[in-house]
Amino acid sequence: ELLGVRYPIIQTGMGWVSGATLTAATAEAGGFGILASATMTLEELAQAIAKVKARTTAPFGVNLLPNQADLAKRIALLVQESIPVASFAGAPSAAVVQELNDAGITSIVTVGAKRHAEKMVGIGVSALIAQGGEGGGHTGSIPTSLLLPQVVDACAGTGVPVIGAGGFYDGRGLVAALAYGADGIAMGTRFLLSAESQVPANVKELYLKSALTATVVTEAIDGAPQRVIRTDMIDALEKSPAVLRFPKAAMNALRFSRESKTSLLALLKTGREMKSAQDLTWAQVALAANAPMMTKASMVDGRPEVGILPTGQVVGAIGSLPPVAEILETIIAEAAATLVSLR
Amino acid sequence: ELLGVRYPIIQTGMGWVSGATLTAATAEAGGFGILASATMTLEELAQAIAKVKARTTAPFGVNLLPNQADLAKRIALLVQESIPVASFAGAPSAAVVQELNDAGITSIVTVGAKRHAEKMVGIGVSALIAQGGEGGGHTGSIPTSLLLPQVVDACAGTGVPVIGAGGFYDGRGLVAALAYGADGIAMGTRFLLSAESQVPANVKELYLKSALTATVVTEAIDGAPQRVIRTDMIDALEKSPAVLRFPKAAMNALRFSRESKTSLLALLKTGREMKSAQDLTWAQVALAANAPMMTKASMVDGRPEVGILPTGQVVGAIGSLPPVAEILETIIAEAAATLVSLR
């Protein structure tokens, strides 16, 4: 395994969810944990890295936003702290990948289509996570059963390993991923629903009672397709005409600023940074700020009635909150038994 | 294998597509072929069975509509002809399953959710096909990666074998299905796009050039979610307000009657039979008649501009029209190599 861990299982970077506690638990238990830094300031990221290191000597990674204004400073921090892996949900530029390669940092990018995979391999990315449409948060339309073999084909002969994501929760799935040609699996929802996850208990309960059909992919939150649990809030957002979503998002931003005690200045600053970096319209900025703010309302403040609940469809197959070590060991034991049964 | 065939691969019953030629080719090549009888009269079914038997001594099955008016006669025909398997896309009644069991005919039912699987096992069905949402034609919303292990769990300890369907096209997928606990795979689109498939060449070309993102699940054809290639016709249907779809469907029925040389009497007869059997409204009958008629326009008449193109999302991973024997042998060889690589 490229990442130098015991088990070929990655815990993905989930905004407001995969902080130091969960990441350290995953790393210490033999998986590869990833800190979500998009929802942290640079200072908070430095503190989180220190906190993980205080709890484990095992390697772990950091998830970065490809267009974050202070990306160079964050990469410098990873170099300084000898963090071996930087992961991206969206496509990083060739220059960023080059910078990471030069610094000896392994880059992992999540892709949802074969052509994205080919492009990322072309700019020198170290490894890919192929996330099928059943995956959580921002996601594509091609399911794991089709995406994973296609991305493996795209990487054939390049030496770039592929990790399967979307719909994985047990050892049978791990072996299925290996059969498709993957080198391991990445999971988000399964780790969100662990004992060590810091998500409020009332929110975890909402996830646990959700069925396989309880999720929806919507563009109403920030304009990009995102899989969340279907709630009254989502229905209301989807019913809003597109032209009304900008003022609604702006009002949400103000409301969350007040309700979540995030200063409006900090919020606007994030918006400005995103705007300068990505050349978005202000309407897009307001919408883009919507997703992390609405995720925070659920995941940090425990107020799902005013927030969103990003999730993989796999939520319907998960009914308990075991410790991370138990999750990993159960999957590995089941995978071993599955491999024996295939002989 | 319950079905007594060389390879654990089923060619599903596809209306207007899996006739005698394709079914015989599959059976002769070592797979398990299924004749689609819903789009045949009883007499046509008898002729198709005779035609398959003239071409191969291998076993094959017949797909039945659970509520067809002459279902008893069709089952009697299967008994008389020693057909070993009856398959159903929709749920048969407990009485029908009992009748098949008493006659020694293996019943196979396609399910799209765990609770459907539990219900079918409860009424004594012999085997299940778990079709993930990426599958073609009428389909559910749970992808193969989640549905297949859930249905396997539902059948644990019952001795009822589970066949995976939806997204399968190669040997890696076959091994993945086995890892999830399935006993084999079923494929439709892969066989539709074979040399022996009798679908007109211009229609096969449309399928071959379709991408993984070219399909859509729509309820606009007959009120039930159905995966088809997104065409101008589908966009037009989806834009029609629901209240306008009944007269449109009725007009379509009349038009297809004229264009496809199907007598209006035959069409109305099918409608009446469906109505008496299922207690549908006439509007529902007109809509239900829409799907087979619009499929016929493409698959038999070669006129996709006035028809529909049912397909699995897998169509985007398929780029050629090999003979059925080559399809099966390639999958088996690749599966064997995959199993070796997992050791």
Side-chain angles (χ1 to χ4, degrees):
Chain A
E1 166 98 29
L2 178 68
L3 308 173
V5 287
R6 213 178 324 152
Y7 305 136
I9 299 174
I10 291 176
Q11 163 245 302
T12 58
M14 295 168 276
W16 306 114
V17 174
S18 59
T21 305
L22 180 58
T23 303
T26 303
E28 185 63 15
F32 193 82
I34 298 181
L35 272 175
S37 90
T39 48
M40 297 175 182
T41 64
L42 183 63
E43 293 68 33
E44 286 166 347
L45 175 58
Q47 288 160 11
I49 289 172
K51 197 168 164 188
V52 178
K53 284 187 171 178
R55 296 184 180 199
T56 181
T57 57
F60 61 96
V62 171
N63 184 256
L64 300 171
L65 269 185
N67 293 314
Q68 208 145 11
D70 61 355
L71 184 59
K73 287 184 192 163
R74 287 173 190 247
I75 293 175
L77 177 64
L78 301 199
V79 173
Q80 181 192 317
E81 295 289 336
S82 302
I83 302 296
V85 168
S87 74
F88 299 87
S93 68
V96 165
V97 172
Q98 183 65 52
E99 192 181 341
L100 291 167
N101 285 345
D102 290 348
I105 294 177
T106 297
S107 53
I108 305 183
V109 178
T110 299
V111 295
K114 187 178 185 178
R115 67 178 188 284
H116 297 161
E118 289 162 346
K119 194 177 166 195
M120 289 302 104
V121 169
I123 64 171
V125 160
S126 318
L128 296 177
I129 294 177
Q131 179 179 320
E134 55 267 65
H138 290 109
T139 200
S141 62
I142 304 170
T144 292
S145 68
L146 291 164
L147 180 70
L148 189 46
Q150 294 274 307
V151 172
V152 166
D153 287 346
C155 293
T158 66
V160 174
V162 178
I163 310 295
F168 294 105
Y169 67 104
D170 68 4
R172 296 174 294 186
L174 171 54
V175 176
L178 300 178
Y180 281 123
D183 286 285
I185 55 174
M187 303 186 294
T189 309
R190 177 63 280 191
F191 286 101
L192 186 154
L193 294 172
S194 65
E196 291 90 343
S197 151
Q198 301 295 297
V199 170
N202 64 320
V203 175
K204 283 183 176 175
E205 276 306 311
L206 286 179
Y207 277 90
L208 286 181
K209 74 180 191 191
S210 295
L212 283 166
T213 51
T215 74
V216 63
V217 175
T218 180
E219 299 187 8
I221 298 161
D222 62 5
Q226 186 165 10
R227 187 180 294 280
V228 294
I229 294 176
R230 170 155 236 153
T231 58
D232 291 345
M233 166 65 92
I234 297 299
D235 284 340
L237 278 176
E238 293 215 309
K239 276 180 205 139
S240 310
V243 289
L244 289 183
R245 282 196 207 125
F246 167 57
K248 284 204 185 207
M251 280 172 61
N252 267 339
L254 285 169
R255 188 154 57 93
F256 284 117
S257 162
R258 197 172 62 239
E259 290 191 356
S260 65
K261 319 278 185 230
T262 305
S263 84
L264 191 58
L265 188 66
L267 190 61
L268 288 173
K269 193 157 165 286
T270 304
R272 270 209 310 279
E273 281 168 1
M274 293 179 67
K275 183 159 161 57
S276 61
Q278 296 178 300
D279 202 25
L280 301 170
T281 66
W282 275 105
Q284 286 173 304
V285 167
L287 280 172
N290 224 13
M293 293 313 292
M294 293 185 79
T295 305
K296 186 182 183 188
S298 301
M299 300 306 175
V300 180
D301 304 335
R303 302 197 54 200
E305 68 281 5
V306 292
I308 58 171
L309 300 165
T311 185
Q313 209 170 344
V314 72
V315 69
I318 295 175
S320 62
L321 302 165
V324 164
E326 185 183 323
I327 290 173
L328 293 173
E329 283 154 21
T330 303
I331 290 175
I332 295 299
E334 195 181 12
T338 300
L339 284 170
V340 168
S341 78
L342 288 176
R343 267 172 208 160
Chain B
E1 165 98 30
L2 179 68
L3 308 173
V5 287
R6 213 178 325 152
Y7 304 136
I9 300 174
I10 290 176
Q11 163 245 302
T12 57
M14 295 168 276
W16 307 113
V17 174
S18 59
T21 305
L22 180 58
T23 302
T26 303
E28 185 63 14
F32 193 82
I34 298 181
L35 272 176
S37 91
T39 48
M40 296 175 182
T41 63
L42 184 62
E43 293 68 33
E44 286 166 347
L45 174 58
Q47 289 160 11
I49 289 172
K51 198 168 164 187
V52 178
K53 284 187 171 178
R55 295 183 180 199
T56 182
T57 56
F60 61 96
V62 171
N63 184 255
L64 300 171
L65 270 185
N67 292 313
Q68 208 145 12
D70 61 355
L71 183 60
K73 288 183 191 165
R74 287 174 190 246
I75 292 174
L77 177 64
L78 301 199
V79 172
Q80 181 193 317
E81 295 289 336
S82 302
I83 302 295
V85 168
S87 74
F88 298 87
S93 68
V96 165
V97 172
Q98 183 65 51
E99 191 180 343
L100 291 167
N101 285 345
D102 290 347
I105 295 177
T106 297
S107 53
I108 305 182
V109 178
T110 298
V111 295
K114 187 178 185 178
R115 67 178 187 284
H116 297 160
E118 289 162 346
K119 193 176 166 194
M120 289 301 105
V121 169
I123 63 170
V125 160
S126 319
L128 296 177
I129 294 177
Q131 179 179 321
E134 55 266 65
H138 290 110
T139 201
S141 62
I142 304 170
T144 291
S145 68
L146 291 165
L147 180 70
L148 189 46
Q150 294 273 308
V151 172
V152 166
D153 287 345
C155 293
T158 66
V160 174
V162 178
I163 310 295
F168 293 105
Y169 67 105
D170 68 4
R172 295 174 294 186
L174 171 53
V175 176
L178 300 178
Y180 281 122
D183 286 285
I185 55 174
M187 303 186 295
T189 310
R190 178 63 281 190
F191 286 100
L192 186 154
L193 295 172
S194 66
E196 291 90 342
S197 150
Q198 301 295 296
V199 170
N202 64 320
V203 174
K204 283 183 176 174
E205 276 306 311
L206 286 179
Y207 276 90
L208 287 180
K209 74 179 192 191
S210 295
L212 283 166
T213 51
T215 74
V216 64
V217 175
T218 179
E219 299 187 8
I221 298 161
D222 62 5
Q226 186 166 11
R227 186 180 293 280
V228 294
I229 294 176
R230 170 155 236 153
T231 58
D232 291 345
M233 166 65 91
I234 296 299
D235 284 340
L237 278 177
E238 293 215 309
K239 276 180 204 138
S240 310
V243 289
L244 289 184
R245 281 194 209 127
F246 168 57
K248 284 204 185 206
M251 280 172 61
N252 267 339
L254 285 169
R255 189 154 58 93
F256 283 118
S257 162
R258 198 172 61 239
E259 290 190 357
S260 65
K261 318 280 185 230
T262 304
S263 83
L264 190 59
L265 189 66
L267 190 61
L268 287 174
K269 194 157 166 287
T270 303
R272 270 209 309 279
E273 282 168 0
M274 292 179 67
K275 183 160 161 57
S276 60
Q278 296 179 298
D279 201 26
L280 300 170
T281 66
W282 276 105
Q284 286 173 304
V285 168
L287 280 172
N290 224 13
M293 294 312 293
M294 293 185 79
T295 305
K296 187 183 184 189
S298 302
M299 300 306 176
V300 180
D301 305 335
R303 302 197 55 200
E305 68 281 5
V306 292
I308 58 171
L309 300 165
T311 186
Q313 209 170 345
V314 71
V315 68
I318 296 175
S320 62
L321 302 165
V324 164
E326 185 183 323
I327 290 173
L328 292 173
E329 284 154 20
T330 303
I331 290 175
I332 295 298
E334 195 181 11
T338 300
L339 284 170
V340 169
S341 78
L342 288 176
R343 267 172 207 161

